[in-house]
């Protein structure tokens, strides 16, 4: 575990820093004042009670002069200023007093609240840190401090604080340990430290399995799928979700097989009806990636019948998994439901649908899907390229050329489309149009020489800058535009 750096994430007042330096070595037990100073302290309290504030202050300052490590005069002055509505000054004296006194989590929490009232979040973080040092098992202090650190953008220190929380939680604080583990995993996930995040989940699931909820399982499975750790995801489903497999009675030695062979030997999958739909979805995706399609029929049927408006994100995840694992016909069933829904009839979904249809060999249907993509997103050049390829495969080169056409005067030209159009024109032996489009393609890299005067001007100059200058002079003289259309 990473140790917390005391000075890395907390900024507080200069007075507080000085008091911290003075108080090193005296934390743990209260230092007693010299008897003479005790009498003076008592007299100062008496003066404050009688309203003789100025003399009371002078007595406190005298005690501080003679014994700067005593907390009593600082606390007395803090109370005086707080009661007099000078909260900021009272807070500074209270911080000094708390530094010098034995650790008191309640006092540090109070000072943290006062700091927040003054808008000083960093100082509040420091106060909560001192409160944690005084009461390391108080989970509320950790969570409050971590939230404040995240609020000011110091996620590195928040992660260290969560890790210290996990170190100090007792066995009867399982709920707090689980919450801290999830929070630490979330921060690690944001930093793309997925394996470190997985370690926190694994520890929490191992230590407190009875406290794990479907929501926690769903988060862990999401993390494992992102890492493509499908075998571990399946183990989590079996250990915490009641998922079971069955096989033929003749397979007596299935326990000696490796996990991949075991999956092939299983003949049926038992999934509890009460299992959350999100977890069922991730179980199905896990089985798809583990090439256990013979165990997925029941789960696939249940999701095919689901409403895209209610379960669209899950259906899309399943569709993508089927597409990536070459289960095209099954993937088409899901994509069809999605593109025929109101919420998911979008260009990105139509694009994947078209790819799935094309890979399944259904080129005519794929053509219609890609046309829909172009209709929804006219600037999506990859869809237009693929549409052109399909039309060419279907024996319609003219349509293929038309799919690559661009408005050369009204839109930003895409070089990919233009290059593929040049290739297709050359294959179709349309030389004049090929030369025209090729010149257009190269026009962003080469200067178009319009006449003999420009040719002579460019060839006479040696440097590039001189060539450009000469070319502009000719065009200015001829009153022609300097740039190409």
């Amino acid at each position: 575990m990473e140790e917390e750096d005391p000075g890395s994430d907390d900024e507080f007042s200069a007075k507080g820093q000085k008091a911290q330096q003075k108080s090193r070595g005296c934390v743990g037990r209260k230092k007693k004042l010299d008897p003479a100073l005790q009498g003076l302290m008592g007299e100062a309290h008496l003066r404050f009670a009688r309203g003789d504030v100025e003399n009371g202050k002078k007595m406190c300052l005298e005690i501080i002069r003679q014994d700067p490590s005593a907390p009593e005069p600082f606390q007395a002055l803090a109370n005086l200023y707080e009661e007099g509505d000078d909260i900021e000054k009272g807070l500074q004296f209270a911080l000094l007093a708390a530094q010098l006194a034995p650790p008191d989590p309640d006092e540090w929490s109070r000072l943290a609240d006062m700091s927040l009232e003054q808008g000083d979040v960093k100082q509040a973080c420091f106060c909560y840190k001192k409160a944690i040092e005084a009461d390391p098992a108080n989970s509320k202090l950790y969570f409050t401090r971590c939230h404040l650190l995240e609020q000011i953008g110091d996620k590195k220190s928040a992660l260290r604080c969560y890790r210290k929380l996990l170190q100090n939680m007792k066995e009867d604080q399982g709920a707090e340990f689980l919450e801290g583990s999830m929070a630490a995993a979330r921060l690690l996930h944001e930093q793309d430290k997925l394996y470190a995040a997985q370690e926190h989940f694994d520890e929490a699931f191992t230590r407190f399995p009875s406290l794990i909820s479907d929501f926690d399982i769903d988060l862990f499975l999401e993390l494992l799928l992102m890492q493509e750790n499908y075998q571990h995801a399946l183990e989590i489903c079996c250990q915490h979700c009641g998922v079971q497999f069955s096989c033929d009675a003749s397979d007596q030695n299935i326990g000696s097989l490796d996990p991949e062979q075991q999956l092939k030997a299983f003949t049926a999958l038992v999934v509890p009806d009460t299992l959350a739909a999100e977890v069922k979805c991730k179980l199905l995706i896990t089985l798809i990636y583990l090439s256990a399609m013979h165990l997925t029929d029941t789960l696939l049927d249940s999701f095919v019948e689901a409403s895209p408006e209610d379960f669209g994100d899950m259906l899309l995840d399943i569709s993508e998994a089927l597409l990536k694992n070459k289960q095209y016909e099954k993937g088409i069933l899901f994509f069809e439901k999605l593109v025929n829904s109101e919420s998911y009839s979008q260009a990105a979904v139509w694009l994947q649908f078209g790819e799935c249809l094309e890979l399944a060999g259904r080129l005519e249907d794929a053509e219609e899907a890609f046309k829909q993509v172009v209709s929804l997103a006219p600037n999506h050049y990859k869809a237009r390229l693929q549409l052109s390829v399909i039309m060419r495969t279907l024996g319609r080169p003219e349509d293929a050329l038309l799919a690559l056409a661009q408005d050369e005067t009204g839109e930003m030209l895409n070089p990919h489309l233009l290059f593929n159009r040049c290739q297709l024109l050359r294959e179709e032996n349309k030389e004049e149009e090929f030369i025209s489009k090729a010149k257009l393609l190269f026009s962003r890299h080469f200067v178009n020489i319009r006449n003999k005067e420009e040719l002579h001007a460019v060839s006479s100059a040696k440097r590039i800058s001189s060539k450009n200058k000469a070319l502009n002079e000719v065009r200015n003289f001829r009153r022609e535009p300097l740039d190409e259309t």
Side-chain angles (χ1 to χ4, degrees):
M1 290 290 183
E2 203 174 338
E3 291 296 325
E4 183 164 13
D5 179 6
S8 64
D9 58 335
D10 294 311
E11 294 293 336
F12 47 95
S13 68
K15 290 183 179 179
Q17 289 178 344
K18 290 178 182 178
Q20 186 182 35
Q21 293 167 359
K22 291 177 182 178
S23 63
R24 286 175 184 167
C26 64
V27 174
R29 65 179 183 180
K30 187 174 181 178
K31 178 184 175 183
K32 290 186 178 181
L33 278 171
D34 179 88
L37 294 179
Q38 280 184 352
L40 188 58
M41 191 70 245
E43 181 65 22
H45 283 301
L46 196 58
R47 292 296 178 98
F48 287 142
R50 291 175 177 172
D52 189 359
V53 174
E54 290 304 318
N55 283 321
K57 284 182 184 179
K58 290 178 181 178
M59 292 177 182
C60 287
L61 293 174
E62 178 60 24
I63 296 171
I64 292 171
R65 188 187 67 78
Q66 294 189 39
D67 188 356
S69 64
E72 289 90 341
F74 290 104
Q75 188 59 59
L77 291 170
N79 293 336
L80 176 68
Y81 286 113
E82 287 176 32
E83 291 172 2
D85 293 331
D86 192 347
I87 304 298
E88 184 176 354
K89 202 165 187 178
L91 175 58
Q92 295 304 319
F93 277 108
L95 285 167
L96 291 166
Q99 288 273 22
L100 298 168
D104 182 353
D106 293 333
E107 176 62 10
W108 280 113
S109 296
R110 186 184 76 87
L111 295 176
D113 291 339
M114 289 179 64
S115 298
L116 289 175
E117 290 174 4
Q118 297 295 310
D120 195 339
V121 179
K122 288 187 177 181
Q123 186 166 269
C125 289
F126 168 74
C127 293
Y128 277 118
K129 180 183 175 185
K130 302 299 288 186
I132 288 169
E133 291 173 358
D135 187 4
N138 189 331
S139 61
K140 183 179 178 181
L141 297 175
Y142 288 97
F143 287 120
T144 304
R145 181 170 186 262
C146 288
H147 292 154
L148 291 175
L149 288 168
E150 289 193 62
Q151 180 181 318
I152 60 176
D154 193 352
K155 295 187 177 182
K156 186 176 180 181
S157 296
L159 178 59
R160 283 201 299 269
C161 189
Y162 279 125
R163 283 175 163 170
K164 186 166 284 189
L165 160 75
L166 300 179
Q167 288 177 333
N168 289 287
M169 290 300 97
K170 300 174 182 177
E171 289 301 318
D172 61 349
Q173 293 178 290
E176 291 88 345
F177 186 91
L178 193 62
E179 184 181 351
S181 297
M182 300 306 162
R186 171 176 54 80
L187 291 176
L188 288 165
H189 181 203
E190 291 175 4
Q191 299 173 20
D192 289 329
K193 297 179 180 178
L194 301 184
Y195 184 74
Q198 178 190 325
E199 289 181 328
H200 282 293
F201 271 103
D202 274 323
E203 185 178 5
F205 275 52
T206 302
R207 287 184 60 180
F208 303 103
S210 61
L211 299 176
I212 302 300
S213 66
D214 284 344
F215 178 75
D216 300 326
I217 294 170
D218 182 51
L219 285 178
F220 194 13
L221 291 177
E222 180 76 26
L223 182 65
L224 292 171
L225 292 180
M226 289 178 67
Q227 297 181 83
E228 300 182 0
N229 194 347
Y230 305 114
Q231 191 60 49
H232 193 19
L234 188 59
E235 291 170 2
I236 294 298
C237 290
C238 294
Q239 293 169 4
H240 298 280
C241 303
V243 174
Q244 297 178 339
F245 295 91
S246 60
C247 59
D248 293 334
S250 58
D251 295 328
Q252 299 295 327
N253 298 321
I254 193 169
S256 61
L257 302 175
D258 62 45
E260 185 176 346
Q261 292 174 322
Q262 281 184 353
L263 270 180
K264 291 179 179 178
F266 289 132
T267 56
L269 173 70
V270 180
V271 180
D273 294 334
T274 57
L275 192 62
E278 293 83 0
V279 178
K280 287 182 180 179
C281 172
K282 290 177 176 59
L283 170 61
L284 174 55
I285 292 171
T286 298
L287 292 171
I288 292 171
Y289 277 101
L290 289 173
S291 303
M293 293 302 300
H294 62 293
L295 300 172
T296 62
D297 290 343
T298 302
L299 283 172
L300 281 170
D301 291 343
S302 66
F303 279 104
V304 165
E305 297 170 0
S307 166
E309 303 301 333
D310 297 327
F311 299 90
D313 288 346
M314 297 181 210
L315 298 181
L316 186 57
D317 290 341
I318 295 169
S319 305
E320 292 172 348
L322 291 167
L323 175 58
K324 289 179 181 178
N325 288 274
K326 301 180 180 180
Q327 300 296 322
Y328 305 126
E329 292 300 334
K330 288 183 172 64
I332 288 170
L333 296 175
F334 284 89
F335 280 121
E336 280 181 335
K337 287 183 68 70
L338 288 166
V339 297
N340 289 323
S341 69
E342 184 177 346
S343 301
Y344 289 87
S345 183
Q346 301 171 0
V349 182
W350 276 103
L351 180 66
Q352 290 178 302
F353 184 32
E355 292 172 355
C356 198
L357 287 166
E358 183 183 3
L359 292 168
R362 294 168 55 175
L363 296 186
E364 290 84 359
D365 294 332
E367 179 185 347
E368 294 303 317
F370 283 116
K371 282 181 178 178
Q372 189 67 23
V373 179
V374 173
S375 173
L376 294 169
N379 294 325
H380 199 301
Y381 78 90
K382 290 185 179 179
R384 295 174 69 177
L385 286 175
Q386 205 59 35
L387 179 59
S388 176
V389 170
I390 291 173
M391 289 174 167
R392 183 78 191 280
T393 305
L394 291 172
R396 292 169 19 228
E398 293 299 328
D399 290 340
L401 277 171
L402 191 59
L404 298 174
Q406 302 177 79
D407 182 356
E408 296 176 6
T409 59
E411 66 175 307
M412 183 74 70
L413 298 183
N414 186 289
H416 299 279
L417 294 177
L418 197 52
F419 174 71
N420 279 271
R421 191 174 188 190
C422 289
Q423 287 184 310
L424 194 52
L425 287 167
R426 189 182 177 207
E427 291 172 8
E428 294 298 315
N429 295 318
K430 298 189 175 186
E431 295 180 359
E432 290 187 10
E433 192 176 354
F434 165 72
I435 292 172
S436 172
K437 301 308 173 188
K439 287 174 68 177
L440 181 61
L441 177 63
F442 290 135
S443 64
R444 62 177 182 163
H445 301 291
F446 300 98
V447 174
N448 181 34
I449 304 299
R450 302 171 185 169
N451 47 60
K452 289 184 179 180
E453 287 84 353
E454 290 186 0
L455 177 62
H456 178 72
V458 170
S459 58
S460 300
K462 293 182 179 180
R463 295 182 179 179
I464 294 294
S465 59
S466 300
K467 292 178 186 291
N468 290 331
K469 184 178 179 181
L471 191 63
N472 288 338
E473 288 176 352
V474 171
R475 290 178 178 177
N476 281 325
F477 180 77
R478 293 171 63 94
R479 296 182 179 179
E480 293 179 353
L482 299 180
D483 298 322
E484 297 293 331
T485 302

